[in-house]
Amino acid sequence: MRTDLEGHDMKLLSRKSITAATAVAVLGGLAIAAVPSQAASPARSSTAAQADVTARDLAKLPLTDRHLTKHERANLAVVLRAYHVAEGDSLDVNAFVDSFAKDGVFNDVVAGQSYRGDALGGVPTYMANLFPDVHRDLKRITVNGDVVSIELSIQGTFEGPLQSPAGTVKPTGARVDAPTADFWYLHDGKVEKFNCFVGYSTMYAQMGVNFDWASAVNKH
């Protein structure tokens, strides 16, 4: 049985520590986003698995520059495939891991966590469990040589339990639409580094998780 003192100590967790710990639970348990279903979304249809991106494909994408070299198109195809196999309705863990180089790394920059090797497989799996229909809505794509930069939003329905420092947050069926920025660094057709910046504050608020500012202030 939890004592009142234990409950008090839990409340005194700072907003920063709760944010980081919960982010680790979401992205690290492991967990990056899988992706909902928006069949009519051009960005979604463009993430179909493919070896290259055709001119017709490019026309459907929110690119900042459509004049890409063959090398840049190939890099973009790798990134789009990685998104596709992380979708909630087309999850393919092995294909996601295969997108990375042998020493490739996924960095959840906001949570301060990094994943390599076999741990990469948990990245799409956990988020798909949290948001079974998880989807990334690609809003702005910039390709510059071996770097692909994307402004997007992680969307989905909160239908799986979220493990947090304070206990399990039960799913509410709430819709999530969290602002995100992804930066992919490739070499020889493989992802060497993937830096992901997720708007956790927005995501948690939409899930019904509100941080206790008063406890953080009163702690000191």
Side-chain angles (χ1 to χ4, degrees):
M1 180 179 295
R2 191 181 72 178
T3 66
D4 291 341
L5 179 59
E6 289 172 327
H8 179 68
D9 289 341
M10 183 59 72
K11 288 183 178 180
L12 291 183
L13 281 171
S14 69
R15 180 182 187 281
K16 181 177 180 180
S17 65
I18 292 177
T19 301
T22 307
V24 172
V26 173
L27 265 145
L30 293 166
I32 187 182
V35 188
S37 49
Q38 293 184 352
S41 169
R44 180 181 175 80
S45 62
S46 69
T47 58
Q50 50 192 324
D52 195 1
V53 183
T54 67
R56 187 173 182 178
D57 296 323
L58 291 176
K60 300 176 183 178
L61 294 169
L63 289 162
T64 58
D65 183 356
R66 301 186 183 283
H67 302 289
L68 305 182
T69 65
K70 182 177 181 180
H71 179 72
E72 289 173 327
R73 291 199 309 271
N75 281 336
L76 178 57
V78 171
V79 171
L80 294 179
R81 175 167 172 73
Y83 281 132
H84 176 72
V85 298
E87 295 270 326
D89 61 0
S90 56
L91 186 64
D92 187 334
V93 175
N94 291 334
F96 181 81
V97 174
D98 189 56
S99 299
F100 288 78
K102 185 176 181 180
D103 59 348
V105 57
F106 164 77
N107 296 313
D108 173 17
V109 181
V110 178
Q113 297 293 314
S114 297
Y115 308 101
R116 293 179 171 83
D118 292 341
L120 289 167
V123 169
T125 302
Y126 184 93
M127 206 58 125
N129 291 332
L130 192 64
F131 308 120
D133 60 348
V134 65
H135 167 65
R136 290 184 182 84
D137 182 23
L138 310 183
K139 300 180 181 297
R140 187 178 176 87
I141 303 172
T142 299
V143 184
N144 184 8
D146 288 324
V147 181
V148 180
S149 307
I150 302 180
E151 177 188 347
L152 64 149
S153 63
I154 295 176
Q155 304 171 338
T157 307
F158 181 25
E159 296 182 348
L162 168 66
Q163 301 304 321
S164 79
T168 302
V169 180
K170 296 181 179 180
T172 63
R175 288 290 299 170
V176 167
D177 190 346
T180 305
D182 287 345
F183 298 89
W184 303 77
Y185 302 86
L186 299 95
H187 181 69
D188 288 340
K190 294 288 185 179
V191 179
E192 289 196 324
K193 182 170 63 175
F194 172 21
N195 290 341
C196 180
F197 297 76
V198 182
Y200 285 119
S201 294
T202 297
M203 177 184 287
Y204 296 150
Q206 293 169 344
M207 294 168 68
V209 179
N210 297 306
F211 298 106
D212 188 350
W213 284 91
S215 290
V217 172
N218 294 331
K219 183 176 181 180
H220 301 292

